[in-house]
Amino acid sequence: LDYILLDETERKRLKVETICEKPPVRIIRAPMAWHDDILRAREMLAPVLHVTNPVMQGLLGLWQNDFSATRLVNKNRVLSSHPLSLQAFADALHGDSVVGRGQLQVAWVEAAADVVLHHRQYWDGYVDGRNDIVGFQILEHLFQSIATLMANQLRHTVVESLQDLLAVFARYEGGNAYEGEYPDLALAAPQMIVLDLVPDAATAAPGCCAITVAPGWDAVHSAVAVLYANVVQTGTGIRRVESEVFPEMADETQSFSAPSKSDSAVQDLERELHRLIDTNVHGPNRYLQTYDRFLHLLTPNGSAISQAGTELEEFLAKPSVTLDQYGRYIKKLSELKTEIRALRTVVPFGMFQLNADGLHQHLVDAVDALLSKLVAAVVMENREKNNDICQRFVNIRNKLLDKPKDSEAMTAQEEFLVEVKTKLMFDLNDAIASSKDTLRFLMKHAQLSETDLDLNTTTIRWPEKLEPMFDTTQLAIDEKRKAGEVALRQRLEAFGTTLEEYLKSIEAFEDKNDPIKKSTIQSNCDFLAEMTANIEKAREEADYLEREEVLLGFDRSNWPQIELIEAAKKPYDQLWGTAQTFLDKQHAWFEGSFLDLDAEKISDDINA
């Protein structure tokens, strides 16, 4: 019957519109001997046994219905969020603690105060007058019981929050240690904290370098310890309900008793948390060994240059490094950079996620710096070679454009032109071919500046600029040769005429019959001195003409007249020279002191 009457659908189906109320159940019991004792005991316990007070029941219901699920750690949000940096992770959990504390401090305490005030009739009668000391003691005991109840509830929230935090880390109880190659799928569980891989030379031994996680493991433990302490600390300082029930007590600093870090349960949970962290450091530490083959790119502790930089300097210091050697070195560095880029930038390790993007960029930058230095060396070498080639072309051009002043310069220029055509141009073309090879190499591996591009263009175009000068220079040489030949013939003819005149003058000297006197002697000596000077000039002229004949391809001329003049003049030099000496010494010999005369010197002067 109740199935039909209590089910609204069935009542409508059966068209039952009204239901008769059930008659009350009346129980009639005979009087019991202990009934009055029970009533008296209840009256005596009611003021002192507050567990049964409706206020306590109301607070228990309030907590159970509205606040028992309050946590200082949002476990579900942590489990569903993306991996965070250690600082962001700590900030997020600290924010949860702040929100939870605000909920407890404001909503819970105020709601509890409303419950206490709502049941005021169950405690307001304890105090009948101002001096009712017993009543005040009972009332104080009641609120102390309320504080104890709410403190236990608060402790429950803190401990449950710490257990939730531990549960978040307990997902990684199995750790992340591995052997052999990194196991991708085995460690791909949702990660929680992101750690960066960074070079760390400061903590390495002198002359060594290392790669580590940042923040380090000590920082992780410290951050979690601070986070744990914040959760515990969040439960402290929450003001008791009296501050809301009695406004005149709002300034008093009474607060609920809360758990502290010295509690054994709290300490046990914290130790377990740190143990879980230590269980999950083995995998990341082992993975760091992946980068051992790249440590030579990092600057070691106490050094200004990496091992790779030192090796590059030694390579560049070698003499005559070829393009093939440069190419192999660049290929080696490029393969190293490709290998770095092929590594995982995000490496999951359960509790932790390693972010290697910054480290990879640092290593790639180190390789790029080596490549830049290597390519810069090739660019500088090519620039120096091009400048040298251009300078050699400029020197050749300037020398070809010089106008020869004499036959010797003309012959030297002609020989130089032949050398340029037969040797220097071949050497320079070989150098330009090498420069072209270097240019093709640099176009593949470097970004040349406009200055270098212009210099390479100028170098490559020099031969086509220089070759037209060959005909111009040859024409100038031919013209100079023709003019030199004409001048040489004229000079040869004039020189022959001059020698004939000198010879006639000496031959005419034989016919002189001048009286021997001082003026005649002086005049003849002057003539002979002049003839001696003319002979010296004639010899110099003969030497010059001989050189010109050789330079211009003439048959060599002989000048016997010079020897004839010299031979014809010699006796006259002796004769008139002796006469001049006698005139000069006569006074000293005949009129001077006999003691001052030197017989040997006089003999030498006469025979000279």
Side-chain angles (χ1 to χ4, degrees):
L1 184 61
D2 284 342
Y3 170 77
I4 295 173
L5 295 179
L6 295 178
D7 190 335
E8 184 178 357
T9 304
E10 290 295 320
R11 290 203 313 270
K12 288 181 179 180
R13 185 177 64 82
L14 298 175
K15 296 180 181 182
V16 178
E17 296 180 359
T18 61
I19 302 174
C20 297
E21 294 184 2
K22 291 182 179 182
V25 179
R26 301 184 182 276
I27 300 174
I28 299 175
R29 170 176 65 78
M32 297 294 179
W34 42 262
H35 178 72
D36 293 338
D37 294 337
I38 290 297
L39 292 179
R40 285 193 296 273
R42 179 181 296 177
E43 291 176 359
M44 293 177 61
L45 290 175
V48 294
L49 185 63
H50 304 298
V51 174
T52 59
N53 193 306
V55 174
M56 304 295 280
Q57 299 299 320
L59 292 176
L60 285 171
L62 173 67
W63 176 260
Q64 187 66 32
N65 295 329
D66 298 335
F67 296 99
S68 61
T70 301
R71 295 291 181 269
L72 304 177
V73 174
N74 192 336
K75 175 182 175 181
N76 293 330
R77 185 191 58 76
V78 174
L79 294 177
S80 62
S81 66
H82 296 292
L84 301 174
S85 67
L86 182 62
Q87 184 61 49
F89 180 78
D91 291 343
L93 291 184
H94 179 68
D96 293 342
S97 299
V98 172
V99 171
R101 176 182 174 84
Q103 189 175 6
L104 293 174
Q105 178 69 66
V106 179
W108 179 49
V109 173
E110 289 182 356
D114 290 340
V115 171
V116 173
L117 292 173
H118 179 72
H119 295 84
R120 188 184 188 98
Q121 69 271 21
Y122 295 107
W123 56 267
D124 195 27
Y126 291 153
V127 180
D128 294 333
R130 293 192 175 187
N131 296 321
D132 191 351
I133 298 176
V134 175
F136 276 110
Q137 290 177 345
I138 295 174
L139 185 61
E140 182 180 2
H141 190 266
L142 171 63
F143 279 96
Q144 187 64 41
S145 298
I146 292 173
T148 302
L149 173 62
M150 296 183 70
N152 290 333
Q153 294 170 343
L154 177 61
R155 178 181 179 84
H156 170 80
T157 296
V158 172
V159 173
E160 287 293 321
S161 298
L162 295 177
Q163 290 177 344
D164 285 349
L165 179 60
L166 181 63
V168 171
F169 284 84
R171 292 183 299 164
Y172 311 102
E173 171 69 32
N176 50 27
Y178 67 95
E179 297 293 336
E181 294 294 327
Y182 169 76
D184 293 10
L185 298 178
L187 301 175
Q191 299 87 55
M192 187 165 56
I193 299 174
V194 178
L195 300 177
D196 295 324
L197 298 184
V198 295
D200 183 22
T203 60
C208 299
C209 50
I211 294 175
T212 186
V213 295
W217 302 121
D218 290 341
V220 173
H221 280 286
S222 298
V224 171
V226 171
L227 180 62
Y228 209 80
N230 286 340
V231 174
V232 175
Q233 185 67 25
T234 302
T236 62
I238 295 180
R239 297 170 64 86
R240 286 168 52 165
V241 73
E242 291 94 317
S243 61
E244 297 291 337
V245 175
F246 305 107
E248 61 273 15
M249 299 179 61
D251 295 335
E252 297 185 12
T253 58
Q254 286 187 330
S255 60
F256 295 121
S257 174
S260 66
K261 289 197 67 176
S262 61
D263 290 353
S264 60
V266 173
Q267 291 179 349
D268 292 341
L269 290 174
E270 184 174 9
R271 279 194 295 269
E272 179 64 14
L273 185 60
H274 287 290
R275 185 193 68 79
L276 291 172
I277 294 175
D278 289 334
T279 303
N280 284 269
V281 303
H282 304 293
N285 285 339
R286 179 175 176 80
Y287 189 78
L288 293 179
Q289 299 175 10
T290 304
Y291 295 93
D292 287 349
R293 60 185 183 276
F294 305 115
L295 292 179
H296 66 290
L297 296 172
L298 303 178
T299 303
N301 186 11
S303 177
I305 187 172
S306 65
Q307 179 184 345
T310 302
E311 293 174 354
L312 179 58
E313 289 186 351
E314 293 174 353
F315 172 77
L316 295 177
K318 293 179 180 179
S320 304
V321 180
T322 64
L323 286 179
D324 288 340
Q325 291 174 314
Y326 280 122
R328 287 194 294 272
Y329 210 116
I330 289 176
K331 181 179 179 181
K332 181 179 72 171
L333 292 177
S334 299
E335 290 175 349
L336 187 63
K337 184 163 70 171
T338 301
E339 187 178 353
I340 293 170
R341 292 193 183 278
L343 294 172
R344 301 173 182 83
T345 57
V346 175
V347 189
F349 272 102
M351 182 183 296
F352 300 106
Q353 179 186 100
L354 301 185
N355 177 23
D357 188 58
L359 174 62
H360 292 178
Q361 189 60 49
H362 181 84
L363 295 174
V364 168
D365 290 344
V367 176
D368 285 339
L370 296 175
L371 285 170
S372 298
K373 187 174 183 179
L374 181 60
V375 173
V378 181
V379 171
M380 180 59 67
E381 182 179 337
N382 183 61
R383 187 181 301 153
E384 292 175 354
K385 287 183 179 179
N386 286 338
N387 285 328
D388 179 66
I389 292 172
C390 290
Q391 187 59 49
R392 289 164 67 184
F393 272 112
V394 169
N395 294 338
I396 292 173
R397 180 198 63 184
N398 293 340
K399 203 166 184 180
L400 291 178
L401 292 177
D402 283 344
K403 294 183 178 181
K405 298 179 180 179
D406 50 32
S407 299
E408 185 175 0
M410 178 204 67
T411 303
Q413 190 175 44
E414 187 173 27
E415 292 175 352
F416 178 70
L417 178 60
V418 173
E419 183 184 8
V420 170
K421 290 181 177 180
T422 59
K423 184 178 184 301
L424 295 182
M425 281 302 297
F426 289 101
D427 294 341
L428 289 172
N429 283 331
D430 290 342
I432 291 175
S434 175
S435 177
K436 289 180 179 178
D437 292 339
T438 305
L439 178 60
R440 283 190 287 270
F441 178 86
L442 291 176
M443 293 296 287
K444 181 179 178 182
H445 298 289
Q447 184 71 32
L448 293 177
S449 65
E450 292 186 6
T451 303
D452 285 318
L453 290 174
D454 292 341
L455 178 59
N456 279 278
T457 302
T458 301
T459 303
I460 293 172
R461 291 181 176 177
W462 256 115
E464 62 186 44
K465 292 169 57 179
L466 188 65
E467 287 177 358
M469 297 181 187
F470 296 164
D471 295 335
T472 303
T473 302
Q474 187 63 54
L475 182 61
I477 291 173
D478 293 342
E479 292 177 354
K480 183 64 179 180
R481 178 180 292 280
K482 291 178 181 178
E485 290 175 353
V486 172
L488 179 59
R489 290 190 183 96
Q490 294 175 351
R491 197 161 179 172
L492 288 171
E493 184 178 353
F495 184 59
T497 301
T498 300
L499 292 180
E500 291 296 331
E501 290 176 356
Y502 289 165
L503 186 59
K504 289 178 181 180
S505 298
I506 290 297
E507 290 176 349
F509 200 71
E510 295 179 1
D511 298 334
K512 280 193 173 186
N513 193 14
D514 297 332
I516 299 176
K517 56 182 181 180
K518 185 174 182 180
S519 59
T520 303
I521 294 172
Q522 184 64 44
S523 175
N524 289 336
C525 285
D526 291 343
F527 171 78
L528 292 172
E530 181 181 355
M531 187 57 65
T532 299
N534 289 336
I535 291 173
E536 290 300 321
K537 292 180 180 180
R539 290 185 185 279
E540 293 175 359
E541 181 69 9
D543 292 339
Y544 170 77
L545 293 175
E546 181 179 357
R547 290 195 301 271
E548 288 292 303
E549 287 173 337
V550 173
L551 293 173
L552 296 176
F554 279 39
D555 293 335
R556 185 175 179 181
S557 301
N558 293 320
W559 308 104
Q561 299 94 323
I562 297 176
E563 300 302 329
L564 293 175
I565 294 170
E566 183 74 26
K569 184 179 73 72
K570 186 175 181 179
Y572 297 110
D573 280 335
Q574 293 177 347
L575 172 63
W576 295 107
T578 302
Q580 182 66 45
T581 300
F582 180 79
L583 286 177
D584 293 340
K585 305 292 185 179
Q586 180 182 8
H587 180 75
W589 289 348
F590 291 101
E591 298 181 7
S593 172
F594 182 77
L595 296 176
D596 293 337
L597 299 178
D598 187 345
E600 293 182 359
K601 189 173 184 308
I602 294 173
S603 176
D604 292 339
D605 291 339
I606 294 174
N607 294 327

